[in-house]
């Protein structure tokens, strides 16, 4: 082991350097094919405030990924904490926004909201899952989950909570600390082009469904995962296991190549394309169009022309 260790260190060093180079290349690629190119097309202008972005658990306000697309988006935002709803209008002040005050679950009910020391950890599920300690390496980190107050709130399914004038959901972001499965159960007939769900691989909140159950649920609806959390590297000492286990993070689901997936895409190919481009998946979208032999609408052909000229 003494002789192997230097080789391993060299391998890790070169791996990290190559990863840095890869990240630089990916960053350059994104500068060429990011959302700003799509939004400069004449076809994109017709989408002003019409791509519906539903954000469940919108405490943090508008996401960085939307910044180039904000003029095209109509935000519908939810947050279970009544205190945060009054702040959401300011967070989305440069975009069309509808704030909905009720919490999202899988049924109409009255439930307890556990407000934690860090409000971002608050949930309709109690933060006492069997693997909660994996979310932090010390007592200070875990203190974020300490329940400070409990309040009673009303919940509804997503399909019943969406304002009547909203006919489709184009992009769905879910960040509700363990209630992801329940929120998706209430989709009804809505089939977004892209679903970004913050999931866990283990139980952090009592009764929480894992990412594997969420994934199986969405697969039945015609979706596949395009991004699965973040790449984790094993740290120097295995004692810091919290840093190397993929416990919690964002998973991005998009329509797959099945008949169900194709039907979702063909509801509006241009909005589907814009939704994927916004999140950095232009290359995948172009591949899927070719793979499924879908006719290219103006937004796609104009974007490809701009890419050829860049």
């Amino acid at each position: 082991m003494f002789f192997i260790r230097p080789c391993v260190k060299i391998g890790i060093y070169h791996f990290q350097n190559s990863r840095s180079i890869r990240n630089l290349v990916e960053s350059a690629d994104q500068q060429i094919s990011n959302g700003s190119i799509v939004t400069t097309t004449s076809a994109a202008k017709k989408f002003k405030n019409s791509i519906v972005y539903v954000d469940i658990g919108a405490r943090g306000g508008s996401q960085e990924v939307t910044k180039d697309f904000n003029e095209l988006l109509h935000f519908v935002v939810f947050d279970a904490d009544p205190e945060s709803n009054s702040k959401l209008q300011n967070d989305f002040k440069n975009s069309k926004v509808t704030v909905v005050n009720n919490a999202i679950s899988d049924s109409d009910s009255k439930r307890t909201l556990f407000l934690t020391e860090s409000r971002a950890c608050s949930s309709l599920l109690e933060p006492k899952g069997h693997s909660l300690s994996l979310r932090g390496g010390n007592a200070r980190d875990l203190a974020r989950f300490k329940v400070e107050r409990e309040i009673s709130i009303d919940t509804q399914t997503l399909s019943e909570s969406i304002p009547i004038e909203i006919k489709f959901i184009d992009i769905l972001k879910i960040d509700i600390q363990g209630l992801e499965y329940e929120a998706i159960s209430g989709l009804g007939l809505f089939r977004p082009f892209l679903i970004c769900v913050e999931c866990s691989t283990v139980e952090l909140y009592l009764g929480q469904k894992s990412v594997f159950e969420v994934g199986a649920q969405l697969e039945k609806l015609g979706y596949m995962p395009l991004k699965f959390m973040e790449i984790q590297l094993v740290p120097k000492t295995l004692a810091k296991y919290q840093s190397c286990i993929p416990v919690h993070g964002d998973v991005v689901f998009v329509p797959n190549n099945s008949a169900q997936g194709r039907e979702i895409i063909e509801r509006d190919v241009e909005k589907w394309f814009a939704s994927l481009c916004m999140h950095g998946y232009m290359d995948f979208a172009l591949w899927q169009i070719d793979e499924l032999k879908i006719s290219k609408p103006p937004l796609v052909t104009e974007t490809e022309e701009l890419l050829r000229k860049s």
Side-chain angles (χ1 to χ4, degrees):
M1 288 299 297
F2 176 81
F3 297 104
I4 294 174
R5 183 173 293 180
C7 297
V8 172
K9 285 186 176 180
I10 293 171
I12 292 173
Y13 173 79
H14 285 292
F15 173 78
Q16 289 174 335
N17 279 338
S18 65
R19 190 179 178 205
S20 297
I21 294 170
R22 185 191 68 192
N23 289 341
L24 286 173
V25 172
E26 288 179 351
S27 176
D29 285 345
Q30 286 179 350
Q31 289 176 5
I32 294 173
S33 62
N34 65 10
S36 61
I37 289 182
V38 175
T39 57
T40 59
T41 64
S42 60
K45 292 179 172 53
K46 70 179 182 180
F47 292 136
K48 188 173 180 63
N49 291 333
S50 70
I51 298 178
V52 177
Y53 187 112
V54 172
D55 190 344
I56 308 176
R59 176 184 297 277
S62 181
Q63 302 297 300
E64 179 70 16
V65 72
T66 71
K67 66 179 182 179
D68 292 329
F69 281 76
N70 277 355
E71 289 189 1
L72 309 183
L73 299 174
H74 176 171
F75 288 98
V76 182
V77 299
F78 298 78
D79 199 287
D81 184 356
E83 295 176 3
S84 71
N85 280 298
S86 62
K87 302 176 184 177
L88 288 173
Q89 287 287 1
N90 287 332
D91 293 332
F92 291 95
K93 61 185 177 182
N94 296 322
S95 305
K96 187 175 180 181
V97 58
T98 301
V99 178
V100 183
N101 293 324
N102 63 278
I104 298 301
S105 183
D106 56 354
S107 63
D108 294 355
S109 61
K110 190 170 286 290
R111 296 182 62 168
T112 298
L113 174 63
F114 297 93
L115 292 170
T116 53
E117 184 175 293
S118 171
R119 288 294 189 260
C121 300
S122 301
S123 175
L124 294 176
L125 300 176
E126 193 171 4
K128 289 186 176 179
H130 54 60
S131 297
L132 178 59
S133 61
L134 286 174
R135 281 290 282 143
N138 54 55
R140 180 182 58 80
D141 289 339
L142 291 177
R144 296 176 298 141
F145 294 88
K146 181 181 178 182
V147 176
E148 289 189 335
R149 188 158 57 98
E150 299 178 16
I151 61 174
S152 180
I153 60 172
D154 295 320
T155 70
Q156 274 190 314
T157 63
L158 178 58
S159 59
E160 292 175 333
S161 298
I162 291 291
I164 193 169
E165 67 271 15
I166 303 294
K167 304 302 180 186
F168 301 101
I169 296 175
D170 300 313
I171 302 168
L172 175 60
K173 174 197 154 248
I174 304 175
D175 181 2
I176 50 177
Q177 310 306 314
L179 266 291
E180 305 83 24
Y181 188 94
E182 286 82 349
I184 293 167
S185 296
L187 267 178
L189 298 178
F190 289 117
R191 294 293 180 270
F193 297 127
L194 182 143
I195 303 174
C196 180
V197 193
E198 191 176 64
C199 293
S200 304
T201 55
V202 294
E203 184 190 78
L204 306 178
Y205 295 84
L206 284 177
Q208 174 183 8
K209 302 284 189 182
S210 73
V211 63
F212 309 108
E213 293 164 289
V214 171
Q217 180 189 35
L218 285 171
E219 184 180 24
K220 292 176 183 177
L221 300 181
Y223 291 91
M224 60 172 279
L226 197 54
K227 170 193 172 186
F228 190 86
M229 301 184 179
E230 299 294 337
I231 296 173
Q232 304 280 346
L233 294 179
V234 177
K236 275 186 177 180
T237 64
L238 292 179
K240 296 182 179 178
Y241 53 83
Q242 293 96 338
S243 302
C244 63
I245 298 175
V247 172
H248 188 76
D250 289 336
V251 182
V252 174
F253 293 91
V254 296
N256 59 28
N257 284 2
S258 69
Q260 280 179 297
R262 182 180 185 124
E263 184 177 354
I264 295 169
I265 294 169
E266 290 186 327
R267 170 169 68 78
D268 192 318
V269 176
E270 289 189 312
K271 286 187 177 181
W272 162 79
F273 184 70
S275 299
L276 266 64
C277 289
M278 181 192 311
H279 290 78
Y281 304 125
M282 180 185 291
D283 288 344
F284 176 82
L286 291 173
W287 168 83
Q288 200 167 27
I289 286 175
D290 290 337
E291 185 74 10
L292 296 177
K293 297 180 172 55
I294 294 173
S295 297
K296 295 180 180 179
L299 183 68
V300 177
T301 56
E302 288 182 36
T303 299
E304 287 184 314
E305 182 61 26
L306 289 172
L307 286 173
R308 281 192 289 271
K309 293 178 179 179
S310 64

